Every structure is written in C-alpha cells, then in structure tokens.
C-alpha cells in the first residue's frame, strides 16, 4: 500500500496528545460495506531522498544498492516512506519499535510499544491516523501477554487500547490493518492456529473486522466483514479497481482472495504451501512474498472485463532468503522485508528492507 510521509514532525515531537479531548471529538462514521482501499490509505511521515549518507563502519553495510536498511530485529509490517521508495518505515515485530530509515542512515524510532514478541506475535501491523497532521496518532495491532489488541499512541505517550480481547496463540497471530476512511479502520486477524475459532462468530480470531469506534478504552465490538481467515494474514488494496485483497495460509493451501459483500472469493491458491507472508498491489499487478520458497510472485490484477487470472509468475527468487511483508508504490516499485532470523539462514546484515522494481509485469500486460 502506498504511504506518503511527513516524518520530521513526528520525530521531533515530544509532547503528549490530550486523549480526553481526542476521545470527545472521535465519532464513528457510516459503515462502508465494501472497503475501497487506496484513497484513504494510511500515510507515514516525508524525508528527503536527495542525498545518501556515506557508508558507516561495521558489519551492517550491505553492498547491494537495493538494500535500504539492515540489522533490524525480526520484522513485521512495513510501508514506503517516500514516492521513490528510498525511505522505509518498518516495524520490528519483536522489539515493538516502528523505525524509519534510508540507505546508510541510522534507525530512527518513530514509536515504541510494549509487546510480547514470542512466536509470531509482537508489533504486527501499524497505520497512521487519517487526521495525522492534527493529532499525530498512530494505530497498531500488537500482541500482549494476554491477547492481541488494537491500540493507538501519541508522541511521548503510552499506547491506549481501542479493541482488546482478540485471541492470542503460540502462532497464527499475524494480521494487518489500514484505514478505509477517516472513521473506519479495517483489521484482519489471524486464526491463532485454531481454524474453528476463525469460523466461530463469537471469536475475533480469523476475521476481517470493521472498527468504527476509535475512542481509547471504548472496546466496542467491531462488525465482522468476513470469517475463516487462516494464519499470517495480509491485506493489499488496489487504487485501480478499489478491490481489497487478502493473502493467508490455511491447513490445506496458501491463498489469495478478494473481498466482496458475500465474503472472500479466492482468486488463486497454492496447494504446495510456499508460506505466503505478504501481498502488495503495484502498477497493474498483485505481488505476494513467500517465506519457505523465498519468492516474490506476481499476478496481473483481475478486472470486470478480464476476471480470470493465470498462474503467478516468479519475479524474484532465492536472492534475499526468507521474505516477510511487502508494500507497493503506484509506479510498480516494491519494498519488502526479510525474516531470516526466524525462518531462514540469517546473514550479518539481517534483517533487511529491500526495494525492487520487477523487470516486467508478471505474465502479459492487459490488452
């Protein structure tokens, strides 16, 4: 998903937001029955990409010019920090830090959350308030010792709960989030290793949720848009078709689905279970990363006139090890993170964030 940036103000801000006043002003908007994606996608703060710092000394220098940053802890969510993809904003899943960096620059901590980073939990996903310029609020999906929950944080403050009680498991906690509108936060939750919970209407595990009560401490039950999600759930919205895609893993296959009013409609499945870790829409294609097979695979995005998709094309293979989350820019550029410390064979510069421009759109261009 595309994220613009205004990071400078966030990095220098040290005061606390008045949450009482924020809560008085926050109002739930009308429910949008079908998430539209890109127009209100989360944004994260602009940094200049005009100059590149000289290489620092030490073991964290990667000679690959496509590597944006190195020596991260295990990664979670990430977003491009500028239109050229030279800056990244990435979550360290196990430390609870949101970090911004560009090539050869120091890691700058944007926000920090107290998390339980065991298994695949921790700082899972984050999103910037649609009114960020006024309130400086960041929202996050995190794991605590007792649950998974949605929280928000202001500069200099501690995280305040928005929705608590999402089930937590030893694995299967990974989910995703984005703002569909100023008053609607879409959150996808993992099944925590329990497929029965994903189909249980009383459980918030394995669900696509619409949260319109954004006041801290409210904990209003969200609307369930879809059920039956698997593990390692990721979301990617298309500005071209206004479609919302969901990638996840089930016991029998990995899959890429599109959301509709009637639920989830799979558009491609992988019975060999390459361990899909993330999805992104860039240009006219949907891309997925895989952890086990270490691929980026691409599919031309379906349209009403061409709803059928063909076999995904591998556009990157075995170059950076086990791959995690991925994000895309309208110009076709991709950013993705490695997860070698947990799932692969780590090198001295892991974990890394890499920018990558596929040499061609997967398969054939639309006529």
């Amino acid at each position: 998903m595309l994220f613009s940036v205004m990071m400078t103000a966030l990095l220098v801000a040290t005061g606390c937001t008045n949450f009482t006043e924020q809560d008085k002003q926050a109002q739930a908007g009308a429910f949008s029955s079908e998430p539209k994606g890109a127009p209100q996608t989360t944004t994260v703060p602009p940094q200049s990409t005009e100059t590149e710092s000289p290489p620092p000394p030490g073991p964290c220098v990667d000679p690959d010019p496509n590597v944006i940053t190195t020596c991260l802890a295990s990664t979670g969510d990430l977003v491009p920090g500028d239109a050229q993809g030279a800056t990244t904003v990435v979550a360290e899943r196990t430390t609870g830090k949101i970090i911004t960096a560009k090539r050869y620059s120091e890691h700058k901590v944007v926000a920090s959350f107290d998390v339980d980073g065991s298994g695949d939990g921790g700082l899972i996903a984050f999103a910037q308030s649609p009114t960020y310029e006024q309130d400086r609020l960041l929202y996050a999906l995190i794991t605590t010792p007792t649950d998974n929950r949605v929280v928000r944080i202001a500069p200099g403050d501690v995280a305040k709960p928005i929705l608590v009680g999402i089930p937590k498991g030893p694995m299967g906690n990974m989910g995703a989030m984005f703002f569909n509108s100023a008053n609607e936060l879409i959150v996808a939750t993992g099944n925590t290793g329990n497929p029965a919970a994903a189909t249980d209407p009383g459980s918030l595990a394995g669900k696509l949720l619409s949260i319109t009560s954004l006041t801290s401490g409210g904990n209003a039950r969200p609307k369930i848009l879809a059920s039956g999600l698997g593990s390692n759930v990721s979301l990617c919205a298309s500005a071209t078709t206004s479609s919302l895609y969901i990638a996840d893993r089930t016991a029998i296959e990995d899959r890429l689905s599109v959301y509709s009013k009637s639920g989830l409609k799979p558009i491609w499945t992988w019975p060999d279970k390459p361990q899909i870790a993330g999805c992104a829409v860039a240009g006219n294609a949907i891309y997925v990363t895989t952890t086990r097979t270490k691929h980026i695979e691409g599919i031309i995005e379906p349209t009403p006139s061409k709803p059928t998709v063909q076999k995904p094309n591998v556009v990157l293979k075995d170059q950076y090890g086990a791959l995690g989350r991925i994000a895309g820019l309208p110009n076709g550029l991709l950013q993705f993170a490695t997860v070698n410390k947990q799932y692969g064979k780590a090198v001295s510069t892991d974990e890394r964030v890499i920018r990558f421009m596929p040499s061609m759109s997967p398969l054939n261009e639309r006529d």
Side-chain angles (χ1 to χ4, degrees):
M1 297 182 186
L2 174 62
F3 290 72
S4 63
V5 273
M6 291 180 300
M7 190 65 71
T8 303
L10 180 57
L11 292 172
V12 301
T14 57
C16 299
T17 292
N18 185 327
F19 276 91
T20 301
E21 193 61 30
Q22 290 290 341
D23 289 347
K24 288 180 180 178
Q25 295 175 1
Q27 295 180 358
F31 169 67
S32 171
S33 61
E34 199 158 350
K36 303 230 187 294
Q40 289 86 28
T41 343
T42 303
T43 58
V44 177
Q47 287 188 354
S48 171
T49 58
E50 294 178 0
T51 61
E52 183 178 283
S53 303
C60 290
V61 177
D62 195 310
D64 186 335
N66 293 313
V67 173
I68 299 172
T69 192
T70 62
C71 291
L72 295 162
S74 295
T75 59
D77 203 2
L78 86 162
V79 295
D82 59 63
Q84 294 75 40
T87 305
T88 191
V89 186
V90 58
E92 286 191 326
R93 180 181 58 79
T94 51
T95 69
K97 296 176 181 177
I98 298 177
I99 288 170
T100 181
K102 60 182 180 180
R103 186 162 172 78
Y104 297 152
S105 76
E106 295 181 355
H107 295 168
K108 296 180 180 179
V109 178
V110 176
S112 184
F113 301 85
D114 291 330
V115 299
D116 177 0
S118 61
D120 63 352
L123 175 51
I124 296 168
F126 63 90
Q128 185 181 5
S129 163
T131 53
Y132 173 78
E133 291 186 18
Q134 290 76 44
D135 57 35
R136 296 291 189 257
L137 294 176
L138 289 171
Y139 290 74
L141 175 62
I142 66 170
T143 308
T144 75
T146 58
D147 66 359
N148 288 306
R149 60 179 57 186
V150 177
V151 298
R152 72 180 192 186
I153 193 169
D157 205 348
V158 297
K160 305 294 178 68
I162 301 299
L163 176 66
V164 302
I166 301 170
K168 168 193 174 183
M171 295 294 288
N173 300 287
M174 289 290 286
M177 65 188 337
F178 80 102
F179 273 96
N180 183 51
S181 71
N183 295 302
E184 184 184 29
L185 179 63
I186 303 297
V187 176
T189 63
N191 67 4
T192 66
N194 182 6
T199 57
D200 178 359
S203 173
L204 295 178
K207 305 293 191 299
L208 185 67
L209 306 173
S210 168
I211 300 175
T212 55
S213 177
L214 301 174
T215 58
S216 61
N219 205 44
R221 186 170 177 82
K223 181 169 184 176
I224 296 175
L225 303 180
S227 301
L229 302 185
S231 63
N232 214 303
V233 187
S234 59
L235 300 174
C236 47
S238 169
T240 303
T241 64
S242 296
S243 297
L244 177 62
Y245 301 102
I246 300 96
D248 65 349
R249 308 173 188 173
T250 72
I252 60 172
E253 62 192 6
D254 293 358
R255 61 187 178 180
L256 178 67
S257 306
V258 62
Y259 170 78
S260 69
K261 293 178 182 179
S262 59
L264 301 183
K265 178 184 177 183
I267 59 175
W268 195 264
T269 60
W270 288 260
D272 59 333
K273 296 189 283 188
Q275 295 182 347
I276 288 180
C279 75
V281 179
N284 68 341
I286 310 164
Y287 296 92
V288 298
T289 46
T290 67
T291 298
R292 182 181 65 81
T293 56
K294 307 169 186 177
H295 289 177
I296 297 178
E297 301 186 16
I299 300 173
I300 293 294
E301 187 180 5
T303 64
S305 60
K306 290 190 174 182
T308 302
V309 300
Q310 300 180 49
K311 182 179 179 180
N313 189 44
V314 176
V315 298
L316 185 73
K317 181 179 181 180
D318 296 334
Q319 192 166 342
Y320 297 101
L323 304 185
R325 295 304 202 196
I326 186 172
L329 288 159
N331 63 3
L333 187 76
L334 302 171
Q335 278 192 7
F336 60 91
T338 63
V339 287
N340 288 308
K341 289 181 177 178
Q342 184 169 13
Y343 300 108
K345 185 177 180 181
V347 298
S348 62
T349 54
D350 279 325
E351 300 295 351
R352 295 164 285 171
V353 175
I354 300 101
R355 58 179 172 178
F356 172 66
M357 177 68 80
S359 59
M360 63 180 69
S361 294
L363 304 176
N364 298 315
E365 296 283 354
R366 297 191 189 104
D367 293 340

